[in-house]
Amino acid sequence: MPSKRTLKMFLDELASSTPAPGGGSVAALSGALGAALTSMVCNLTIGKKKYAEVEPSMKKILVQSEELRETFTSLVDKDTLAFNKVMEAYTLPKDSEPQKALRSAAIREATKEATQVPLEVMKHCIDALALAQEVASRGNTNSISDAGVSAIMLHAACESAALNVRINLNALDDSDFTGWKADELASLLSTSRMMLDEIQAIVEEKMKND
Amino acid sequence: MPSKRTLKMFLDELASSTPAPGGGSVAALSGALGAALTSMVCNLTIGKKKYAEVEPSMKKILVQSEELRETFTSLVDKDTLAFNKVMEAYTLPKDSEPQKALRSAAIREATKEATQVPLEVMKHCIDALALAQEVASRGNTNSISDAGVSAIMLHAACESAALNVRINLNALDDSDFTGWKADELASLLSTSRMMLDEIQAIVEEKMKND
C-alpha cells in the first residue's frame, strides 16, 4: 500500500531502476494531491460565517473529493501491479509455436488491463476538476491559490495518465481496441485542458480582485 | 520532515482544515516527483549495452537529478514553515501605533520570505526540466513515457509555485520588490512552458516511432 510507505520511500522506489512504480503511479498520486487540495479548500470554507450560504454545497463537495482522493490513492498501487503483470507475461516461455501464441495472448490481455488503470485515472480527473471548479468559484477566497494548484495537479495527472495509456496502446496490435481507446483519450484530454483553462481564469480574476 | 511521514499522512494533513501544508508544499513535492522520474530513466539507461555511448552523461544527469530531488523534498516543509511564520506575524498585537508598525513590518518580512520558497521551486524546475529533456532525448526509449511524466510534473510544479509567489506578492505593498519579482516569475514561467513543449515534441516523436 502506498499509504503505508513514507514519502521518502515512495520517492526512492520511484527513482530506482525498477520500472514500477513509474509515471503511471505518479499520475494517480498527482490526482490524489489535487483532490486533497480541493478537500482542503472545502474544509477552510465550512464553518466560516462569510461563507454560510455555500456551506451545504461545500460539505457535499468534500464528501466527493475525499472519495476521489481515496480512489486515486488506490490507483497508485493498481498501476504498479498492472505493470508488473505485463512484465510477467513477457517472461513466459516462447520455445514452441503454442507457447508463443499463449505468451502473445497473455501479453495482450495484461497490456489491455494496464491500459485501463491510467484511463480510469483520466476519467476521475474530469470529475475532480468539476469539484475544483466549484471550490475555485465559491470557496474561501483566501485559499484561491490552493484551488488553482488543485486544478493544475489534476490536469497534470490527466496528461501523465494519457502518456501511459498511449504507450500501452502502442504495444497492442488490436486496432479496434486501440482506435476506440485513442478517441476516448483525446476527448478526455481536451475536456481536462478546457476545464483547467476555465479554472485558471476564475483564479486569475479572484487574484486580481484580492 | 515530509520524508518521515507516510503518503497517507501527508495527504490527510493536506486535505485537513489547517492551511499548511497546502499548494506551496504540493508544488515542491511535484518537483520531487518529476526529478525522481528523471533519475529513474537514468537508472534504466545505465548498464544497458544499447545505451553504452550515453552512459557517462546519464551518470552525470543522475547525480544532478538526485540532488534536485533532495532539494525539492526539503522545500516541501520549508514552504509549510514559511507560511506558518506569516500566520504567526498576523497574531502579533495591534493595540497601539508602535505595535501596529511592528506587526506590519513582521508581516511584510515573513511574506517576503514566504515568496522566496516557491520562487526557489520555480528556479529548480528549470534546472530539472533541462535534465528531463536530456533523458527524453537520449535515455532508454522504453521509458519515454516516464520522461514525459517527469516534464509534466516539473512544469506543474513551476505553475503551482507561481500561484504561491503571486498570492504572496498580492499581500505586499512594496512595489519595487513586487514589480521585480513579478518580472522574474513571468520569465521563469514562460521558460518552463517552452521547455515542456520541447520535451513533449521529443516524446511525441519517439512514441510514434516505437
Side-chain angles (χ1 to χ4, degrees), chain B residues 5-79:
Chain B
R5 286 197 294 254
T6 65
L7 264 180
K8 168 99 174 69
M9 279 163 69
F10 181 77
L11 288 163
D12 285 346
E13 280 177 39
L14 199 59
S16 77
S17 62
T18 50
S25 293
V26 169
L29 178 55
S30 183
L33 292 165
L37 283 172
T38 285
S39 295
M40 172 181 150
V41 183
C42 290
N43 278 320
L44 287 167
T45 307
I46 294 165
K48 298 276 192 301
K49 262 191 196 161
K50 195 178 161 188
Y51 297 96
E53 211 182 301
V54 297
E55 180 152 330
S57 65
M58 287 295 143
K59 283 185 175 168
K60 274 189 204 158
I61 293 169
L62 178 60
V63 172
Q64 292 173 278
S65 59
E66 285 297 273
E67 267 175 24
L68 281 165
R69 172 159 78 97
E70 209 176 304
T71 306
F72 281 124
T73 307
S74 73
L75 287 165
V76 175
D77 274 354
K78 271 195 191 157
D79 190 87

Side-chain angles (χ1 to χ4, degrees), chain B residues 5-168:
Chain B
R5 286 197 294 254
T6 65
L7 264 180
K8 168 99 174 69
M9 279 163 69
F10 181 77
L11 288 163
D12 285 346
E13 280 177 39
L14 199 59
S16 77
S17 62
T18 50
S25 293
V26 169
L29 178 55
S30 183
L33 292 165
L37 283 172
T38 285
S39 295
M40 172 181 150
V41 183
C42 290
N43 278 320
L44 287 167
T45 307
I46 294 165
K48 298 276 192 301
K49 262 191 196 161
K50 195 178 161 188
Y51 297 96
E53 211 182 301
V54 297
E55 180 152 330
S57 65
M58 287 295 143
K59 283 185 175 168
K60 274 189 204 158
I61 293 169
L62 178 60
V63 172
Q64 292 173 278
S65 59
E66 285 297 273
E67 267 175 24
L68 281 165
R69 172 159 78 97
E70 209 176 304
T71 306
F72 281 124
T73 307
S74 73
L75 287 165
V76 175
D77 274 354
K78 271 195 191 157
D79 190 87
T80 305
L81 294 174
F83 183 89
N84 288 340
K85 271 198 175 173
V86 176
M87 290 295 105
E88 266 171 43
Y90 274 101
T91 64
L92 289 174
K94 47 177 178 174
D95 304 321
S96 64
E97 284 311 312
Q99 278 186 346
K100 277 185 195 169
L102 272 176
R103 179 175 174 272
S104 291
I107 292 171
R108 197 164 51 243
E109 280 318 298
T111 307
K112 279 188 185 179
E113 267 182 57
T115 312
Q116 297 299 340
V117 180
L119 209 48
E120 223 180 293
V121 170
M122 292 180 78
K123 287 176 190 167
H124 293 306
C125 285
I126 304 299
D127 294 335
L129 278 162
L131 305 179
Q133 184 155 12
E134 285 288 315
V135 301
S137 302
R138 304 191 292 144
N140 191 330
T141 312
N142 290 337
S143 309
I144 190 64
S145 61
D146 301 300
V149 176
S150 170
I152 291 167
M153 296 312 293
L154 290 168
H155 180 65
C158 193
E159 277 198 308
S160 299
L163 285 183
N164 284 277
V165 174
R166 285 182 55 202
I167 206 152
N168 283 316

